[in-house]
Amino acid sequence: MPDGTTGTGIGAAVKRVEDFRFLTGKGNYTDDLNRPGQSYAYILRSPHAHAKIKSIDTAAAKAAKGVLAVFTGEDMQVGSLPCGWQVHSKDGTPMHEPGHPPLAQGKVRYVGDQVAVVIADTYAQAKDAAEQINVDYEVLQSATTMDAALADKSLVHDEIGTNLCFDWEIGDESEVDAAIASAAHVTKIDLVNNRLVPNAMEPRAAVGEFDPATGEYTLYTTSQNPHVIRLLMGAFVLSIPEHKLRVVAPDVGGGFGSKIYHYAEEAIVTWAAPKVGRPIKWVAERAESFVSDAHGRDHISHAELALDKDGKFLALKVQTKANMGAYLSTFAPCVPTYLHATLLAGTYTTPVIHANVKAVFTNTVPVDAYRGAGRPEATYLIERIVDQAARETGIDKVEIRRRNFIPADAFPYQTPVALQYDSGDYEATLASATKIADVDGFAARKAEAAGRGKLRGMGFSTYLEACGIAPSAVVGSLGARAGLYESAEVRVHPTGSVTVFTGTHSHGQGHETTFAQLVSDRLGLPMENIEISHGDTNKVQFGMGTYGSRSLAVGGEALIRAVDKIIDKAKKIAAHVLEASAEDIEFKDGNFTVAGTDRSMAFGEVALTAYVPHNFPHDELEPGLDEKAFYDPANFTYPGGCHICEVEIDPDTGIVEVVNFTAVDDIGRVINPMIVEGQVHGGVAQGIGQALLEQAVYDENGQLMTGSFMDYTMPRADDLPSFNVATQSTLCAHNTLGVKGVGEVGAIGSPPAVINAVIDALWDKGVRDMSMPATPEKIWTALQAAE
Ligand code: MCN
């Protein structure tokens, strides 16, 4: 419920405070920064997927007008771009981890690989001069599909002797095989999870700067986690100690995962800045984003689901090939393993599960987390095979889900694939969604559509996700090379206004609003007295950043803990001034009151006392009112829910129209329902984009055929219906706010609902399968083939 005093507390649909600057064009993005004496970098990229660099002649480029410097891999001898997660193969051997130089050394491994950097007075000069660089390539055969790569005919990294990065498993295969052998029915499915290009609205950018007076480097960058970039780049690539490296991620126009990683361009501009003696700005052109931002998904899976005669799931076996691209991006190995296979129980009681994941190097752009990361892949697989099992056994698709749901009274629930879910009520989200989507009225709508010559279908997805990415001990045991806690500092100023420094980074999620709401709620302060600061390693104590829908559940909880420390100290100050004991001080609606009396002090008075300590408990307390907290949760959070999609297909053209989409999500306590709704809208739009429109396509020579918005179809407003969005929550059991994440639920839950709806619509015409993206051409072809 909205807080009684301020009306801006937990549960209030407060308008986003950051939107004023964004909507009036006053945002401050990396490309808006213009440092004194700034120069510009252009990165020359490989036109080949796989080639030896026999020589690079930079003489003409160096002599070109305005050029300050040209560097190649030979010049830039620094550390390798590191991978933050180590996976071990099932035989215990560590994954292959080939070096990843910021500028290619000896070989290029994908179209877009960085070959040289030109730095000039203007961007146009740098770009023009780059045309004069003469690279002598010996083009090699490339491995662009995973199957070609696994045949090891052409090695992406010669030194490791294979294109198999790791061969990992979870679960007991013999137990699963035995269950499958004795099952009444086994459903089998082959699935491709299409490769996606993230396409944040703001392309990546970086400005590197060096101050010779202090020896301090500054990197301004489009990042979701500036402290992580400081750590990775400082410690592993450029050997700059943290106290000499400041990383600032100012306003960032969307990331969707693609701005988590430490990219070569960040290291290049930082390393080169002292060499040219001027700040250096690099901004990606959109075409560069397509071939240099980490791509997402790209799984090929075979799955088998064993059922007993009543439709109860007995076992699930999954074999997945996951494309890593040419190099290991920062978190790539954890996506198909710990973010994918551990989720394969979904919302169901499947007692035994085995998954095998083969991660494969190919001559393509590195692949890493993209909104959902591993969990959309798992959800797509589970919800597709469950629907197929329903059709094969003749059990209704809703009924089969109900029969297998983890019951609401079974929490905490230990799955066979490591995770322990803390709370959920899948029957409740299903019931609510079924009602909102008017499932009962579907048959009539289908008949009416048929009268208009349209094929109408309805698809379900009763998904689960694991997010709020944390427990450091757990992720550490799973291969993370970092802890995944979060930190917050609450600085109360002498007049009682508050600045919060959070280690999370907001790039569209609205933390400046929701985090201020948390403080407003707890301290009874108006929103305008609270400022949320993030994204600058020189201001914020530390932070692991924003991804895995962790900011509220981990960062928000850290913030609450710091606020509670403020209240504790403030009570002691108030007790001293009011001549009472701290235990007798009550804090409510922004006032400290001696219980049972009318003696009280406002929050602002206590703050002033802390900084003007004329009457202060010096023996017990230090002056000032500024507290920090680090929070490392006990578990992930487990949002879940039900998405129902209704489509109409024109059989003459194959065009799919999403006519209705219902999302009922359990995200724990809701801090801001308007922001939550926006998060679900965005995620569902991306999920529908994956299901119907988007796919990164490479040709056999490793050229990206979908390298622009002319070929890569992003969803637009007129591709989407008005969504029906609701929440139906159970509280998270292990954080005090009771919150679960919401940032990815839309992208995770929706794709299988869409494809299940498409198959449902086409079923009577004899079509039995459909892959993503379900383009008009694919649908039309399938309809012709089925006739
Ligand atoms: N929230 C809430 N109540 C809840 C849960 C969340 O009010 N029960 C609010 C939070 O306070 C926050 C927002 O919803 O303002 C999202 O919170 P959370 O689920 O914690 O996710 P994060 O803030 O950690 O954001 C990361 C998540 C991810 S992983 C991707 S990818 C993604 C996403 O958020 N990328 C985005 N949403 C995005 N939205 C925009 N506009 N741009 C991106 O790049």
Side-chain angles (χ1 to χ4, degrees), residues 29 62 163 230 414 608 678 680:
Y29 297 88
K62 279 180 176 153
N163 289 325
R230 185 180 68 171
Q414 179 62 50
L608 195 64
V680 176

Short mmCIF file of all heavy atoms in Angstrom, two decimals, residues 29 62 163 230 414 608 678 680:
data_model
loop_
_atom_site.label_atom_id
_atom_site.label_comp_id
_atom_site.label_asym_id
_atom_site.label_seq_id
_atom_site.Cartn_x
_atom_site.Cartn_y
_atom_site.Cartn_z
N TYR A 29 24.28 11.33 -22.12
CA TYR A 29 24.80 10.03 -22.56
C TYR A 29 26.29 10.16 -22.89
O TYR A 29 26.80 11.28 -23.02
CB TYR A 29 24.01 9.55 -23.79
CG TYR A 29 22.54 9.32 -23.47
CD1 TYR A 29 21.61 10.35 -23.56
CD2 TYR A 29 22.11 8.07 -23.03
CE1 TYR A 29 20.28 10.13 -23.23
CE2 TYR A 29 20.79 7.85 -22.69
CZ TYR A 29 19.87 8.89 -22.80
OH TYR A 29 18.56 8.67 -22.47
N LYS A 62 48.70 6.73 -41.24
CA LYS A 62 49.39 7.57 -40.25
C LYS A 62 49.69 8.96 -40.81
O LYS A 62 49.72 9.95 -40.08
CB LYS A 62 50.70 6.91 -39.80
CG LYS A 62 50.47 5.84 -38.73
CD LYS A 62 51.79 5.20 -38.32
CE LYS A 62 51.56 4.20 -37.19
NZ LYS A 62 52.57 3.15 -37.17
N ASN A 163 37.11 -27.03 -31.32
CA ASN A 163 36.15 -25.93 -31.22
C ASN A 163 35.16 -26.16 -30.08
O ASN A 163 34.22 -25.37 -29.90
CB ASN A 163 35.39 -25.76 -32.54
CG ASN A 163 36.29 -25.19 -33.62
OD1 ASN A 163 37.15 -24.35 -33.32
ND2 ASN A 163 36.10 -25.62 -34.85
N ARG A 230 35.74 -1.59 -14.25
CA ARG A 230 36.99 -1.11 -13.64
C ARG A 230 37.85 -2.30 -13.19
O ARG A 230 39.05 -2.34 -13.43
CB ARG A 230 36.68 -0.19 -12.45
CG ARG A 230 37.93 0.42 -11.86
CD ARG A 230 37.66 1.33 -10.68
NE ARG A 230 37.18 0.57 -9.53
CZ ARG A 230 37.02 1.10 -8.32
NH1 ARG A 230 37.29 2.37 -8.11
NH2 ARG A 230 36.58 0.37 -7.32
N GLN A 414 12.72 -28.09 -3.45
CA GLN A 414 14.04 -28.43 -3.99
C GLN A 414 13.87 -29.12 -5.34
O GLN A 414 13.24 -30.16 -5.44
CB GLN A 414 14.77 -29.37 -3.02
CG GLN A 414 16.16 -29.80 -3.50
CD GLN A 414 17.13 -28.62 -3.66
OE1 GLN A 414 17.27 -27.80 -2.76
NE2 GLN A 414 17.77 -28.52 -4.83
N LEU A 608 20.36 17.62 11.44
CA LEU A 608 21.13 18.82 11.76
C LEU A 608 21.97 18.60 13.02
O LEU A 608 23.14 19.00 13.09
CB LEU A 608 20.17 20.01 11.94
CG LEU A 608 20.83 21.37 11.94
CD1 LEU A 608 21.48 21.65 10.58
CD2 LEU A 608 19.80 22.46 12.25
N GLY A 678 5.51 -1.35 -17.20
CA GLY A 678 6.38 -0.97 -18.32
C GLY A 678 7.44 -2.03 -18.57
O GLY A 678 7.76 -2.34 -19.72
N VAL A 680 7.21 -5.22 -17.94
CA VAL A 680 6.58 -6.40 -18.56
C VAL A 680 6.27 -6.09 -20.04
O VAL A 680 6.53 -6.92 -20.92
CB VAL A 680 5.31 -6.82 -17.79
CG1 VAL A 680 4.61 -7.97 -18.50
CG2 VAL A 680 5.67 -7.22 -16.36
#
